[in-house]
Amino acid sequence: MLSSLTLGRSPLAVALLAVALLGTTATGVATAAIVRFESVLGNIDVRLYQTATPLTTQNFLGYMNRGDYVNTAIHRSVPGFIVQGGGYRYNGTAQVEPENYPKVPQQAPVLNEPGISNLRGTIAMAKLGGDPNSATNQWFFNLGDNSANLNNQNGGFTVFGRVVSGMNVVDAIAAVPRFGFQGAWTDAPMRNYTSAEYNAYTPVDGDNLVYFTSIHTLNLPAGDYNFDGVVNNLDYTVWKNSYGSTTAAAADGNGDGKINAADFTVWRDSMQASGQAVTIPEPSTAAALALALIGVGLGGRRQRGRRR
């Protein structure tokens, strides 16, 4: 069943307000910020889209800077679809039902900022079904191309970053066996845990959970896309694979009508010489934003009881 968007103003007015809040255009550029997710299975480095989704990235960084994401667990894993976390923290105890682990304190919901496609390797905000503007602390990594579903469902799910290193770790998380616990942990990945232990109600702890010991920004030179501590032509391959497919005029650093290694060299040399941060294009959101805000689909987290 579909419902209409009711926010006390017209859908067009909401769309225009969101465009104003973005403070960017479809060809805008922004300084790259890389956030490292340090998990028990390895590191995942994510490039945040501060210009395209300013409210969402500010919301995420707020949780991160408060330390709310220390030891945060993945409580839901659906192979081929998503892995989801940000809602619960491992506190060093063993629990028969992981739903009893402390919940990450929720701050005020953030205004939805849809428009960037939910493609494999992107990170997006989770939210409640039937409420586009209900995202708080939970996020998920897209394991596949979920654009046909998530770009339009429930007003569109806000993508606010992309994995630039460690997608193999995300895939490794998705490959961990899953068990159906109570509450939000209906598809919970558990390491070193067997069906026999599950059926015997054996408590789970840090040896079983998939969790992130730390989430923090990386202090790297601007333009160091391969994270080796220096800015040079070795960064170009990473830049091209992650950001170079855009046709934005802003990416054409030398003005020859093409986006290639020559542009990267121009950006690197000019930005280093001037002492400014190297900038790279962000995905376009303005064109899709109004349409995404007008419609509301179905969404939210499924719930089911644990098998008894």
Side-chain angles (χ1 to χ4, degrees):
M1 179 175 131
L2 297 177
S3 60
S4 61
L5 183 63
T6 305
L7 294 177
R9 63 188 76 189
S10 71
L12 178 58
V14 174
L16 293 176
L17 171 63
V19 170
L21 288 171
L22 283 173
T24 185
T25 66
T27 59
V29 294
T31 302
I34 307 296
V35 173
R36 172 159 291 176
F37 290 64
E38 294 187 359
S39 85
V40 293
L41 295 180
N43 295 337
I44 305 166
D45 295 328
V46 174
R47 192 274 206 216
L48 301 182
Y49 297 143
Q50 304 104 297
T51 299
T53 57
L55 301 179
T56 305
T57 52
Q58 182 181 10
N59 174 73
F60 175 86
L61 291 172
Y63 283 100
M64 185 192 79
N65 291 332
R66 285 187 295 271
D68 292 336
Y69 288 148
V70 173
N71 294 333
T72 188
I74 294 294
H75 65 270
R76 183 185 179 206
S77 172
V78 183
F81 184 43
I82 58 100
V83 292
Q84 182 173 335
Y88 298 83
R89 293 179 61 181
Y90 171 56
N91 64 352
T93 66
Q95 298 288 341
V96 172
E97 291 293 346
E99 176 74 12
N100 293 325
Y101 280 113
K103 293 184 179 180
V104 173
Q106 291 186 354
Q107 304 301 318
V110 63
L111 182 69
N112 202 30
E113 297 176 297
I116 301 174
S117 195
N118 282 264
L119 300 174
R120 171 175 164 81
T122 57
I123 185 172
M125 294 302 297
K127 52 188 172 179
L128 300 176
D131 187 352
N133 300 305
S134 60
T136 54
N137 53 6
Q138 294 194 29
W139 36 259
F140 59 89
F141 289 103
N142 281 297
L143 296 172
D145 182 354
N146 296 322
S147 57
N149 178 16
L150 300 185
N151 285 5
N152 301 301
Q153 183 187 134
N154 198 9
F157 284 79
T158 297
V159 168
F160 63 98
R162 177 180 176 181
V163 175
V164 292
S165 176
M167 194 61 197
N168 60 315
V169 177
V170 180
D171 290 334
I173 293 173
V176 173
R178 298 169 298 139
F179 297 86
F181 295 93
Q182 290 182 356
W185 296 72
T186 57
D187 297 280
M190 290 292 161
R191 304 173 297 132
N192 312 310
Y193 199 68
T194 66
S195 295
E197 289 173 314
Y198 170 77
N199 289 325
Y201 294 90
T202 304
V204 299
D205 59 19
D207 291 332
N208 309 123
L209 298 173
V210 176
Y211 65 98
F212 296 94
T213 57
S214 174
I215 301 178
H216 59 273
T217 53
L218 294 181
N219 295 316
L220 295 169
D224 182 16
Y225 301 125
N226 66 349
F227 314 143
D228 64 358
V230 296
V231 180
N232 55 33
N233 284 336
L234 295 177
D235 298 302
Y236 169 66
T237 299
V238 178
W239 171 83
K240 181 177 181 295
N241 291 341
S242 297
Y243 313 109
S245 61
T246 178
T247 58
D252 187 10
N254 62 358
D256 65 357
K258 301 176 181 179
I259 301 172
N260 51 33
D263 299 308
F264 181 79
T265 302
V266 171
W267 284 1
R268 184 200 67 207
D269 294 346
S270 64
M271 293 300 180
Q272 282 187 315
S274 64
Q276 301 176 37
V278 173
T279 55
I280 55 180
E282 290 201 359
S284 171
T285 60
L289 185 57
L291 290 178
L293 281 171
I294 292 173
V296 177
L298 300 176
R301 310 178 185 97
R302 359 187 227 109
Q303 300 274 329
R304 73 168 184 258
R306 180 175 176 178
R307 290 187 292 115
R308 292 291 181 181

PDB file of all heavy atoms in Angstrom, residues 144-164:
ATOM      1  N   GLY A 144      25.048  -5.503  -3.933  1.00  0.00           N
ATOM      2  CA  GLY A 144      24.781  -5.604  -5.364  1.00  0.00           C
ATOM      3  C   GLY A 144      24.160  -4.319  -5.864  1.00  0.00           C
ATOM      4  O   GLY A 144      24.068  -3.323  -5.137  1.00  0.00           O
ATOM      5  N   ASP A 145      23.734  -4.337  -7.115  1.00  0.00           N
ATOM      6  CA  ASP A 145      23.047  -3.183  -7.696  1.00  0.00           C
ATOM      7  C   ASP A 145      21.602  -3.201  -7.205  1.00  0.00           C
ATOM      8  O   ASP A 145      20.762  -3.924  -7.730  1.00  0.00           O
ATOM      9  CB  ASP A 145      23.104  -3.259  -9.225  1.00  0.00           C
ATOM     10  CG  ASP A 145      22.435  -2.061  -9.890  1.00  0.00           C
ATOM     11  OD1 ASP A 145      21.828  -1.235  -9.176  1.00  0.00           O
ATOM     12  OD2 ASP A 145      22.508  -1.956 -11.129  1.00  0.00           O
ATOM     13  N   ASN A 146      21.321  -2.413  -6.189  1.00  0.00           N
ATOM     14  CA  ASN A 146      19.984  -2.348  -5.598  1.00  0.00           C
ATOM     15  C   ASN A 146      19.216  -1.111  -6.042  1.00  0.00           C
ATOM     16  O   ASN A 146      18.232  -0.718  -5.404  1.00  0.00           O
ATOM     17  CB  ASN A 146      20.099  -2.351  -4.070  1.00  0.00           C
ATOM     18  CG  ASN A 146      20.694  -3.643  -3.534  1.00  0.00           C
ATOM     19  OD1 ASN A 146      20.416  -4.726  -4.034  1.00  0.00           O
ATOM     20  ND2 ASN A 146      21.543  -3.530  -2.517  1.00  0.00           N
ATOM     21  N   SER A 147      19.660  -0.501  -7.137  1.00  0.00           N
ATOM     22  CA  SER A 147      19.060   0.760  -7.567  1.00  0.00           C
ATOM     23  C   SER A 147      17.588   0.616  -7.934  1.00  0.00           C
ATOM     24  O   SER A 147      16.776   1.499  -7.621  1.00  0.00           O
ATOM     25  CB  SER A 147      19.846   1.333  -8.752  1.00  0.00           C
ATOM     26  OG  SER A 147      19.900   0.408  -9.824  1.00  0.00           O
ATOM     27  N   ALA A 148      17.210  -0.476  -8.600  1.00  0.00           N
ATOM     28  CA  ALA A 148      15.825  -0.638  -9.036  1.00  0.00           C
ATOM     29  C   ALA A 148      14.870  -0.687  -7.851  1.00  0.00           C
ATOM     30  O   ALA A 148      13.701  -0.300  -7.964  1.00  0.00           O
ATOM     31  CB  ALA A 148      15.688  -1.914  -9.877  1.00  0.00           C
ATOM     32  N   ASN A 149      15.348  -1.127  -6.715  1.00  0.00           N
ATOM     33  CA  ASN A 149      14.516  -1.254  -5.529  1.00  0.00           C
ATOM     34  C   ASN A 149      14.683  -0.052  -4.596  1.00  0.00           C
ATOM     35  O   ASN A 149      13.729   0.672  -4.296  1.00  0.00           O
ATOM     36  CB  ASN A 149      14.885  -2.544  -4.787  1.00  0.00           C
ATOM     37  CG  ASN A 149      14.100  -2.746  -3.500  1.00  0.00           C
ATOM     38  OD1 ASN A 149      13.081  -2.106  -3.264  1.00  0.00           O
ATOM     39  ND2 ASN A 149      14.580  -3.644  -2.656  1.00  0.00           N
ATOM     40  N   LEU A 150      15.906   0.214  -4.175  1.00  0.00           N
ATOM     41  CA  LEU A 150      16.135   1.164  -3.090  1.00  0.00           C
ATOM     42  C   LEU A 150      16.173   2.626  -3.523  1.00  0.00           C
ATOM     43  O   LEU A 150      16.036   3.516  -2.687  1.00  0.00           O
ATOM     44  CB  LEU A 150      17.425   0.809  -2.364  1.00  0.00           C
ATOM     45  CG  LEU A 150      17.459  -0.591  -1.718  1.00  0.00           C
ATOM     46  CD1 LEU A 150      18.729  -0.787  -0.922  1.00  0.00           C
ATOM     47  CD2 LEU A 150      16.232  -0.816  -0.836  1.00  0.00           C
ATOM     48  N   ASN A 151      16.360   2.892  -4.807  1.00  0.00           N
ATOM     49  CA  ASN A 151      16.369   4.297  -5.250  1.00  0.00           C
ATOM     50  C   ASN A 151      14.993   4.944  -5.136  1.00  0.00           C
ATOM     51  O   ASN A 151      14.889   6.175  -5.081  1.00  0.00           O
ATOM     52  CB  ASN A 151      16.858   4.410  -6.691  1.00  0.00           C
ATOM     53  CG  ASN A 151      18.357   4.221  -6.812  1.00  0.00           C
ATOM     54  OD1 ASN A 151      19.032   3.906  -5.838  1.00  0.00           O
ATOM     55  ND2 ASN A 151      18.876   4.393  -8.004  1.00  0.00           N
ATOM     56  N   ASN A 152      13.948   4.138  -5.134  1.00  0.00           N
ATOM     57  CA  ASN A 152      12.594   4.685  -5.133  1.00  0.00           C
ATOM     58  C   ASN A 152      11.788   4.294  -3.903  1.00  0.00           C
ATOM     59  O   ASN A 152      10.836   4.984  -3.535  1.00  0.00           O
ATOM     60  CB  ASN A 152      11.844   4.210  -6.390  1.00  0.00           C
ATOM     61  CG  ASN A 152      12.551   4.641  -7.661  1.00  0.00           C
ATOM     62  OD1 ASN A 152      12.758   5.826  -7.891  1.00  0.00           O
ATOM     63  ND2 ASN A 152      12.933   3.678  -8.497  1.00  0.00           N
ATOM     64  N   GLN A 153      12.159   3.198  -3.246  1.00  0.00           N
ATOM     65  CA  GLN A 153      11.402   2.720  -2.097  1.00  0.00           C
ATOM     66  C   GLN A 153      11.488   3.713  -0.932  1.00  0.00           C
ATOM     67  O   GLN A 153      12.562   4.218  -0.605  1.00  0.00           O
ATOM     68  CB  GLN A 153      11.973   1.366  -1.658  1.00  0.00           C
ATOM     69  CG  GLN A 153      11.225   0.720  -0.518  1.00  0.00           C
ATOM     70  CD  GLN A 153      11.927  -0.526  -0.017  1.00  0.00           C
ATOM     71  OE1 GLN A 153      12.080  -0.708   1.182  1.00  0.00           O
ATOM     72  NE2 GLN A 153      12.346  -1.406  -0.926  1.00  0.00           N
ATOM     73  N   ASN A 154      10.341   3.999  -0.309  1.00  0.00           N
ATOM     74  CA  ASN A 154      10.295   4.835   0.882  1.00  0.00           C
ATOM     75  C   ASN A 154      10.988   6.182   0.668  1.00  0.00           C
ATOM     76  O   ASN A 154      11.720   6.672   1.519  1.00  0.00           O
ATOM     77  CB  ASN A 154      10.929   4.092   2.064  1.00  0.00           C
ATOM     78  CG  ASN A 154      10.545   4.691   3.408  1.00  0.00           C
ATOM     79  OD1 ASN A 154       9.677   5.555   3.509  1.00  0.00           O
ATOM     80  ND2 ASN A 154      11.203   4.226   4.458  1.00  0.00           N
ATOM     81  N   GLY A 155      10.758   6.787  -0.483  1.00  0.00           N
ATOM     82  CA  GLY A 155      11.348   8.081  -0.786  1.00  0.00           C
ATOM     83  C   GLY A 155      12.775   8.012  -1.282  1.00  0.00           C
ATOM     84  O   GLY A 155      13.395   9.044  -1.544  1.00  0.00           O
ATOM     85  N   GLY A 156      13.306   6.804  -1.432  1.00  0.00           N
ATOM     86  CA  GLY A 156      14.689   6.636  -1.861  1.00  0.00           C
ATOM     87  C   GLY A 156      15.627   6.581  -0.666  1.00  0.00           C
ATOM     88  O   GLY A 156      15.507   7.363   0.270  1.00  0.00           O
ATOM     89  N   PHE A 157      16.539   5.611  -0.677  1.00  0.00           N
ATOM     90  CA  PHE A 157      17.489   5.472   0.417  1.00  0.00           C
ATOM     91  C   PHE A 157      18.737   6.296   0.114  1.00  0.00           C
ATOM     92  O   PHE A 157      19.318   6.189  -0.967  1.00  0.00           O
ATOM     93  CB  PHE A 157      17.851   3.998   0.635  1.00  0.00           C
ATOM     94  CG  PHE A 157      16.767   3.226   1.341  1.00  0.00           C
ATOM     95  CD1 PHE A 157      15.651   2.778   0.638  1.00  0.00           C
ATOM     96  CD2 PHE A 157      16.838   2.973   2.700  1.00  0.00           C
ATOM     97  CE1 PHE A 157      14.636   2.084   1.285  1.00  0.00           C
ATOM     98  CE2 PHE A 157      15.829   2.269   3.355  1.00  0.00           C
ATOM     99  CZ  PHE A 157      14.726   1.829   2.646  1.00  0.00           C
ATOM    100  N   THR A 158      19.154   7.111   1.070  1.00  0.00           N
ATOM    101  CA  THR A 158      20.243   8.059   0.864  1.00  0.00           C
ATOM    102  C   THR A 158      21.596   7.370   0.867  1.00  0.00           C
ATOM    103  O   THR A 158      22.064   6.869   1.903  1.00  0.00           O
ATOM    104  CB  THR A 158      20.234   9.146   1.949  1.00  0.00           C
ATOM    105  OG1 THR A 158      19.023   9.888   1.845  1.00  0.00           O
ATOM    106  CG2 THR A 158      21.424  10.087   1.782  1.00  0.00           C
ATOM    107  N   VAL A 159      22.254   7.357  -0.292  1.00  0.00           N
ATOM    108  CA  VAL A 159      23.647   6.929  -0.396  1.00  0.00           C
ATOM    109  C   VAL A 159      24.526   8.115  -0.026  1.00  0.00           C
ATOM    110  O   VAL A 159      24.384   9.200  -0.585  1.00  0.00           O
ATOM    111  CB  VAL A 159      23.968   6.452  -1.823  1.00  0.00           C
ATOM    112  CG1 VAL A 159      25.475   6.295  -2.017  1.00  0.00           C
ATOM    113  CG2 VAL A 159      23.252   5.136  -2.125  1.00  0.00           C
ATOM    114  N   PHE A 160      25.442   7.923   0.925  1.00  0.00           N
ATOM    115  CA  PHE A 160      26.279   9.035   1.361  1.00  0.00           C
ATOM    116  C   PHE A 160      27.769   8.735   1.256  1.00  0.00           C
ATOM    117  O   PHE A 160      28.614   9.500   1.734  1.00  0.00           O
ATOM    118  CB  PHE A 160      25.936   9.447   2.794  1.00  0.00           C
ATOM    119  CG  PHE A 160      26.194   8.393   3.842  1.00  0.00           C
ATOM    120  CD1 PHE A 160      27.350   8.400   4.595  1.00  0.00           C
ATOM    121  CD2 PHE A 160      25.251   7.400   4.094  1.00  0.00           C
ATOM    122  CE1 PHE A 160      27.588   7.443   5.566  1.00  0.00           C
ATOM    123  CE2 PHE A 160      25.469   6.438   5.067  1.00  0.00           C
ATOM    124  CZ  PHE A 160      26.645   6.455   5.809  1.00  0.00           C
ATOM    125  N   GLY A 161      28.129   7.622   0.593  1.00  0.00           N
ATOM    126  CA  GLY A 161      29.536   7.311   0.411  1.00  0.00           C
ATOM    127  C   GLY A 161      29.721   6.058  -0.415  1.00  0.00           C
ATOM    128  O   GLY A 161      28.754   5.396  -0.811  1.00  0.00           O
ATOM    129  N   ARG A 162      30.994   5.753  -0.670  1.00  0.00           N
ATOM    130  CA  ARG A 162      31.323   4.599  -1.502  1.00  0.00           C
ATOM    131  C   ARG A 162      32.606   3.952  -0.999  1.00  0.00           C
ATOM    132  O   ARG A 162      33.555   4.643  -0.615  1.00  0.00           O
ATOM    133  CB  ARG A 162      31.504   5.037  -2.955  1.00  0.00           C
ATOM    134  CG  ARG A 162      31.922   3.912  -3.881  1.00  0.00           C
ATOM    135  CD  ARG A 162      32.097   4.389  -5.302  1.00  0.00           C
ATOM    136  NE  ARG A 162      32.578   3.322  -6.165  1.00  0.00           N
ATOM    137  CZ  ARG A 162      32.833   3.459  -7.457  1.00  0.00           C
ATOM    138  NH1 ARG A 162      32.633   4.630  -8.035  1.00  0.00           N
ATOM    139  NH2 ARG A 162      33.268   2.449  -8.171  1.00  0.00           N
ATOM    140  N   VAL A 163      32.636   2.623  -0.994  1.00  0.00           N
ATOM    141  CA  VAL A 163      33.836   1.883  -0.604  1.00  0.00           C
ATOM    142  C   VAL A 163      34.913   2.096  -1.671  1.00  0.00           C
ATOM    143  O   VAL A 163      34.676   1.872  -2.855  1.00  0.00           O
ATOM    144  CB  VAL A 163      33.541   0.384  -0.453  1.00  0.00           C
ATOM    145  CG1 VAL A 163      34.834  -0.396  -0.173  1.00  0.00           C
ATOM    146  CG2 VAL A 163      32.526   0.135   0.652  1.00  0.00           C
ATOM    147  N   VAL A 164      36.089   2.554  -1.240  1.00  0.00           N
ATOM    148  CA  VAL A 164      37.203   2.717  -2.170  1.00  0.00           C
ATOM    149  C   VAL A 164      38.282   1.671  -1.923  1.00  0.00           C
ATOM    150  O   VAL A 164      39.168   1.472  -2.757  1.00  0.00           O
ATOM    151  CB  VAL A 164      37.807   4.135  -2.094  1.00  0.00           C
ATOM    152  CG1 VAL A 164      36.827   5.161  -2.619  1.00  0.00           C
ATOM    153  CG2 VAL A 164      38.230   4.487  -0.674  1.00  0.00           C
TER     154      VAL A 164
END
